[in-house]
Amino acid sequence: MLEQIEGSRAVAKTVARCRPEVVCAYPISPQTHIIEAIGALVRSGELARCEFINVESEFAAMSVAIGASAAGARAYTATASQGLLFMIEAVYNAAGLGLPVVMTLANRAVGAPINIWNDHSDAMAVRDAGWVQLFAETNQEAADLHVQAFRLAEELSVPVMVCMDGFVLTHAFEQVDVPEQDLVDAFLPPYEPRQVLDPADPVSIGAMVGPEAFEEVRYLAHVRQLAVLEQIPVVAAEFERTFGRRSGGLVSSYRAEDAEVVVVALGSVLGTIKDTVDERREQGERIGVVGITSFRPFPREAVRQVLSAARQVVVIEKAFSIGFGGVLATDVAMALQGLPPEVVSVVAGLGGRPITTVSLRRVLQAAVNDRLPPLTFLDLDEDLVRHELERMAATRRSGPTAENLLRDLGVPSGHIG
Amino acid sequence: MRRDLLPTDAVAAGGTPEAADTGAGTSGAIGDDPGAGRQRLRFYQVGSFAVGNRLADPSQRTVQSDATRSNSLDSGHRACQGCGEALGARYALDAAMRAAGGQLVAVNATGCLEVFSTPYPETSWRIAWLHSLFANAPAVATGVAAAMRVKGRSDVRVVAQAGDGGTVDIGFGCLSGMFERNDDVLFICYDNEAYMNTGVQRSGATPSAARTATTEAIGPDPGAPFGQGKDLPRLAMAHGIPYVATATVADLHDLEDKIERATLMRGARYVHVLVPCPLGWGTASADTIAVARLATQTGLFPVYEAKNGSVTSVSKIRRVQPVEAYLGMQKRFAHLFGTPGRPDIVARIQAIADDSIARFGLLDSHAGEPAERGAR
């Protein structure tokens, strides 16, 4: 049933219908509405047989989830940004232990400077942790991906992170068909762990492994991720059969079949990009869009197939590897090895800066005219940057640049101190 | 003949186990608690104060003397000779297993205990056991306890264990959170007073003046600084949790009794066990029990129980010892002795012991004041 609902609440209701048995919560913007809503559902009894635990840190949140999952309970938590980085050791640990924890990541920039708004730096920081990372384009997809996430996690004994853009999705009210309880129950069987902490059948979990087998353990984790890659389309197809709508999968493609220029992106910005592409198509430019839903495992083959006919691939991403460039662009370029498309990287929307159709139009025009350099920073305030660079050249000293920039902009907080 | 191999003086002290209680035991024993019967037993061997077992009724003997004990931490592990932590963990978990009727799950922090017990592909654990990380054992245990609750397994007890680093330093955030929420977890700290697994570096539990690899015995203020360090049992008490106790590997009856009592309680429980480390303390492997006992008999390590934030019983010092007797056995304090030695520093440590004795009332009036400290 369609309802007008905030993204966070839609996700909370969906997670509740997945019947998690242990939910651990530590608040961080922009994740708060999700855990608040789940807490209320537990309090009201709507989500029965669930332990809702207010922990003292994100590190504890993931650790509680690890303990609960190892003891055979379906475990869920949610975080963002600094919180994800604070729990990163446990994030790796959950994957290493093969525990099917599901976590929502309300994507947010990572400081310093502290910034609560949306980008994908947090997700990229744990790219190599061994988690499945699924990116939602809309709130409907964010809700649906959670149902699929539990299914994938428990079938393949791997933790799954559902990434949804902070504020842009979490705080947006739009129509969502929250997955119905009976359909979720049909789609998602109860959690039956392959190994569990049981006094009747005692096992040791988490032993030390030295050089004699560590590489093999890691290789097998990779093999498991490749199995996830095969299972994601299967689960998405079954989801479509059960719920009657498409959600998830490895990649999504929009008007890309005959496109000379294809834009690749993660998450909610795909909507703005599609609008811009529609407009450019009317001008006769052959532009298409490909969204990466499964960022980890990375769908190399699917990306190759969908992009092989393009002349140029423009990867627009809300994160980058400082000192190098685009992260997603690197993965896309690797996937296209030996194929003709040129891959360029456009870093955009950092720290919540809006990615507007006006700016996108400029980028796409440059791409069509082959004038896009390998690395572009969209809407960079070049005067501001130049001013600071000149100052740095004049007075060499260490320290943060953020305060100087704010002072130049005349932002009141720049005058503090 | 070694003095600690002499026959017990229990009979001399009163003839029957019950009578032995009045001579040397605890004050304020908690009569209605499980295991209290065994707690009343106090057999002291002549000279060494070792606690004996042989004259007790079988029902009052230690878990360790029970042929059907669970051997939770089985032989074959890689601990050093004389390892106090291996002893402590075995004593504690066998007692917990007996109290829980075998329905036990243990969570282990990273550290010596984890490393020496589970070198892949082997394990010494005969219980359900999970190691996750260094800092998160309390939170992982909270998760296990939550899972057990939601699954209706109220019979299963959850124990978390860590060394002093995993407890007072890196794990303290998670531990304090677990305490504050009063989660249904028994947390056991095996305190050997430094990071032994990584090569004897200072922790927040390292005593003043002790040499470690990061507090070398060099310069005018050798060893670990004074005025630092965390008293975790008292911090645990400040959380108001149902049960806090200290114990050592030197008094098996007392340790097992406290673990059994704690296992059967609900909510957050904390037991802090002093476990000497021959490697890090520079003691002979055969002296682990003797040095642990001296830690208590000097007053430096007070042995007590607390409920809901208040001390309810203390183990009295039977014959108080000067700190020199304890420090002198350990190479980590060797810089305090010899010529010229550092009698000024020894005096500061004695003052710490005297404060501890006064704070916890560790001396019976008839046992004499600290000044009447007897020779060993």
Side-chain angles (χ1 to χ4, degrees):
Chain A
M1 188 188 74
L2 281 173
E3 55 186 308
Q4 190 75 11
I5 187 170
E6 190 197 37
S8 294
R9 292 191 62 84
V11 165
K13 285 176 82 166
T14 306
V15 167
R17 288 176 187 178
C18 293
R19 304 187 189 279
E21 293 167 298
V22 176
V23 172
C24 10
Y26 187 81
I28 179 168
S29 298
Q31 149 268 34
T32 43
H33 293 183
I34 300 173
I35 54 152
E36 287 167 6
I38 295 176
L41 290 169
V42 174
R43 273 294 169 99
S44 70
E46 200 170 321
L47 174 52
R49 277 176 43 76
C50 177
E51 294 285 328
F52 183 86
I53 303 172
N54 284 294
V55 291
E56 78 283 355
S57 72
E58 289 90 355
F59 179 66
M62 183 50 62
S63 301
V64 169
I66 286 169
S69 188
R74 183 173 284 165
Y76 169 84
T77 189
T79 192
S81 179
Q82 314 297 138
L84 181 69
L85 268 65
F86 195 64
M87 66 161 72
I88 196 164
E89 190 189 11
V91 168
Y92 269 75
N93 194 252
L97 292 171
L99 298 174
V101 177
V102 170
M103 173 163 68
T104 309
L105 182 65
N107 294 106
R108 168 185 149 179
V110 173
I114 189 167
N115 176 303
I116 64 165
W117 294 279
N118 167 243
D119 72 27
H120 292 163
S121 318
D122 51 4
M124 294 302 144
V126 296
R127 177 191 67 171
D128 305 327
W131 281 60
V132 174
Q133 290 182 299
L134 306 176
F135 277 80
E137 181 182 338
T138 63
N139 280 341
Q140 182 67 61
E141 191 167 49
D144 294 346
L145 281 178
H146 281 85
V147 186
Q148 299 186 33
F150 281 106
R151 174 78 182 269
L152 283 166
E154 291 168 13
E155 271 185 16
L156 291 154
S157 200
V158 63
V160 179
M161 191 182 299
V162 179
C163 302
M164 63 187 295
D165 285 318
F167 295 112
V168 179
L169 291 181
T170 56
H171 288 53
F173 282 75
E174 55 184 21
Q175 284 201 328
V176 176
D177 186 353
V178 176
E180 302 289 346
Q181 185 67 68
D182 55 336
L183 297 181
V184 174
D185 287 341
F187 182 81
L188 182 64
Y191 173 36
E192 295 289 348
R194 62 173 75 163
Q195 191 184 40
V196 70
L197 288 170
D198 179 3
D201 182 20
V203 288
S204 296
I205 303 176
M208 184 178 209
V209 175
E212 68 278 11
F214 194 82
E215 185 169 333
E216 286 69 23
V217 171
R218 278 290 171 273
Y219 174 76
L220 290 170
H222 178 63
V223 168
R224 188 179 296 181
Q225 288 273 329
L226 297 182
V228 172
L229 215 45
E230 289 182 12
Q231 197 60 18
I232 285 173
V234 174
V235 168
E238 193 185 326
F239 184 90
E240 187 177 359
R241 281 196 301 278
T242 307
F243 293 87
R245 61 177 173 270
R246 290 180 63 88
S247 265
L250 296 172
V251 298
S252 65
S253 139
Y254 180 76
R255 305 184 83 165
E257 296 73 23
D258 63 337
E260 292 179 357
V261 173
V262 178
V263 181
V264 176
L266 299 166
S268 64
V269 72
L270 285 164
T272 319
I273 296 172
K274 285 176 187 172
D275 284 351
T276 315
V277 164
D278 285 344
E279 186 190 283
R280 301 318 300 166
R281 280 271 175 182
E282 281 171 24
Q283 304 299 314
E285 293 171 5
R286 283 158 60 189
I287 304 180
V289 186
V290 166
I292 309 288
T293 308
S294 171
F295 175 63
R296 283 293 178 275
F298 192 75
R300 190 187 292 239
E301 268 312 308
V303 166
R304 238 177 126 77
Q305 276 177 20
V306 75
L307 295 178
S308 60
R311 178 172 55 80
Q312 186 168 61
V313 173
V314 180
V315 180
I316 297 180
E317 51 187 317
K318 295 180 176 180
F320 76 111
S321 174
I322 296 170
F324 178 69
V327 180
L328 179 59
T330 308
D331 291 354
V332 170
M334 280 286 285
L336 294 178
Q337 259 181 340
L339 294 178
E342 183 197 2
V343 179
V344 298
S345 178
V346 176
V347 176
L350 298 185
R353 177 165 298 179
I355 300 175
T356 62
T357 48
V358 174
S359 301
L360 285 175
R361 194 181 303 139
R362 208 168 54 241
V363 164
L364 294 183
Q365 275 173 339
V368 166
N369 297 326
D370 273 331
R371 285 189 288 104
L372 210 51
L375 179 60
T376 306
F377 288 84
L378 189 69
D379 295 338
L380 187 71
D381 186 338
E382 289 176 9
D383 287 342
L384 188 64
V385 168
R386 192 178 311 111
H387 191 179
E388 176 65 6
L389 287 173
E390 283 166 4
R391 179 160 40 208
M392 283 160 69
T395 56
R396 258 187 83 113
R397 56 175 187 159
S398 306
T401 55
E403 288 70 16
N404 280 342
L405 295 181
L406 292 176
R407 197 171 292 125
D408 289 347
L409 285 169
V411 174
S413 64
H415 297 295
I416 291 171
Chain B
M1 187 186 227
R2 287 174 52 121
R3 289 196 301 172
D4 57 4
L5 295 179
L6 289 169
T8 71
D9 64 352
V11 175
T16 65
E18 287 72 23
D21 174 41
T22 53
T26 59
S27 69
I30 298 153
D32 57 352
D33 278 321
R38 282 196 301 110
Q39 176 71 348
R40 275 198 294 274
L41 280 176
R42 293 286 158 176
F43 295 104
Y44 289 105
Q45 290 177 330
V46 173
S48 75
F49 314 138
V51 180
N53 201 43
R54 284 167 290 171
L55 298 182
D57 183 86
S59 69
Q60 296 194 320
R61 290 181 188 171
T62 57
V63 177
Q64 282 304 304
S65 69
D66 184 348
T68 65
R69 70 180 181 218
S70 54
N71 289 329
S72 310
L73 177 64
D74 214 342
S75 57
H77 56 69
R78 266 85 155 160
C80 304
Q81 197 175 41
C83 173
E85 187 174 37
L87 276 182
R90 181 193 177 89
Y91 292 170
L93 288 180
D94 281 354
M97 278 288 279
R98 181 153 102 177
Q103 299 301 312
L104 190 81
V105 173
V107 175
N108 213 122
T110 308
C112 274
L113 180 59
E114 167 265 325
V115 170
F116 74 62
S117 65
T118 55
Y120 173 89
E122 295 162 2
T123 179
S124 290
W125 298 103
R126 300 178 66 140
I127 55 176
W129 181 91
L130 170 65
H131 161 246
S132 173
L133 296 169
F134 197 0
N136 71 355
V140 173
T142 291
V144 174
M148 292 303 162
R149 196 158 51 244
V150 80
K151 301 259 178 212
R153 292 295 308 270
S154 59
D155 56 324
V156 177
R157 304 294 172 144
V158 181
V159 170
Q161 46 185 0
D164 49 293
T167 303
V168 316
D169 287 347
I170 198 168
F172 185 68
C174 284
L175 184 63
S176 179
M178 188 275 278
F179 285 165
E180 164 272 315
R181 292 185 302 268
N182 198 24
D183 292 332
D184 194 16
V185 172
L186 164 57
F187 192 95
I188 305 171
C189 170
Y190 305 110
D191 178 11
N192 57 21
E193 302 189 329
Y195 291 93
M196 302 313 186
N197 187 45
T198 43
V200 197
Q201 295 84 17
R202 179 210 178 261
S203 81
T206 299
S208 302
R211 177 270 165 198
T212 69
T214 51
T215 56
E216 286 289 359
I218 303 171
D221 299 306
F226 281 81
Q228 297 186 351
K230 241 181 247 183
D231 186 341
L232 217 293
R234 285 170 63 210
L235 283 168
M237 284 168 60
H239 287 79
I241 59 175
Y243 188 75
V244 173
T246 65
T248 78
V249 288
D251 190 341
L252 182 57
H253 277 280
D254 179 67
L255 171 59
E256 289 184 346
D257 179 70
K258 285 169 174 167
I259 294 289
E260 286 191 275
R261 192 187 310 246
T263 300
L264 292 174
M265 294 175 81
R266 293 289 181 186
R269 297 92 81 199
Y270 179 74
V271 179
H272 188 106
V273 187
L274 185 71
V275 292
C277 169
L279 178 79
W281 293 18
T283 48
S285 299
D287 283 342
T288 297
I289 303 300
V291 74
R293 188 174 307 117
L294 276 169
T296 66
Q297 298 303 301
T298 52
L300 284 171
F301 187 84
V303 178
Y304 60 95
E305 276 183 312
K307 288 188 170 178
N308 303 316
S310 299
V311 174
T312 52
S313 77
V314 301
S315 294
K316 298 287 187 182
I317 296 174
R318 187 165 183 244
R319 195 177 302 160
V320 73
Q321 298 288 311
V323 295
E324 287 93 333
Y326 173 67
L327 305 174
M329 291 179 75
Q330 308 175 49
K331 286 205 187 84
R332 63 176 173 159
F333 294 112
H335 53 282
L336 306 183
F337 300 100
T339 309
R342 291 298 301 268
D344 56 325
I345 295 178
V346 173
R348 291 184 76 179
I349 297 173
Q350 185 62 59
I352 291 170
D354 293 345
D355 282 351
S356 170
I357 288 170
R359 180 195 303 277
F360 290 99
L362 296 177
L363 291 183
D364 274 330
S365 52
H366 68 265
E369 295 303 310
E372 298 173 37
R373 217 168 283 119
R376 192 170 163 233

